[in-house]
Amino acid sequence: DAGVIQSPRHEVTEMGQEVTLRCKPISGHDYLFWYRQTMMRGLELLIYFNNNVPIDDSGMPEDRFSAKMPNASFSTLKIQPSEPRDSAVYFCASSSSPEAFFGQGTRLTVV
Amino acid sequence: GDSVTQMEGPVTLSEEAFLTINCTYTATGYPSLFWYVQYPGEGLQLLLKATKADDKGSNKGFEATYRKETTSFHLEKGSVQVSDSAVYFCALSVLPSYDKVIFGPGTSLSVIP
């Protein structure tokens, strides 16, 4: 398996634009997590899914953030409209056990 | 609630020095404990784990022992290398549901030649 695959690796966008981050989890994993990492706040759990169903989205900072998982092999995290303070590295992770497997992340810069 | 506390960083060591990164946890159930490592520009990857009290996890020369009596899972390595420079995260996941892995804040390690 290729591991958790995220795209794009880097995204630079202007304030106010819509941004969509994509994630392909490891096949067979039934949990999918979205994290955000910044220097100031460290690693934050935004939302997670179990069997494609959102379980806990309490970490989503605002209504501008939304996440979907239409099937077991794909998830998106959307920010609309984006703001400079959304600049961070966004990680997707998947698991079927206590161990979580992370993607390489998407570095988002909002200017 | 469940939580993980790590020693503050950054930590700077000379090559071949001994490393300890302290980690303590609070959990209502029976946690599995982990150390993840994040190399520059990459995602987190599992370094080692322990699933029950007194278990010792080990990998790449790193070790950590699950101490239930002190609720600790300290990471150690006898001789660090420059390539060990990274951020280290202690984490836990609580039975019976593995729905969340709770991470500590991370400890940055820099090893200088």
Side-chain angles (χ1 to χ4, degrees), chain B residues 38-59:
Chain B
Q38 183 180 29
Y39 298 104
E42 298 185 12
L44 281 71
Q45 54 187 275
L46 183 68
L47 179 60
L48 54 84
K49 66 180 179 183
T51 57
K52 61 183 187 295
D54 299 324
D55 270 2
K56 177 185 284 187
S58 61
N59 186 26

Side-chain angles (χ1 to χ4, degrees), chain A residues 3-4 23-35 48-52 69 72 92-103, chain B residues 34 36 93 97-101 103:
Chain A
V4 177
C23 175
K24 181 182 189 314
I26 292 173
S27 177
H29 283 188
D30 53 355
Y31 285 97
L32 184 138
F33 308 86
W34 282 101
Y35 290 89
Y48 74 94
F49 297 81
N50 178 222
N51 293 320
N52 313 336
M69 192 165 185
C92 176
S94 70
S95 76
S96 62
S97 70
E99 176 182 347
F101 293 80
F102 281 75
Chain B
F34 310 87
Y36 283 80
S93 181
S97 172
Y98 296 131
D99 55 0
K100 273 193 287 193
V101 179
F103 289 91

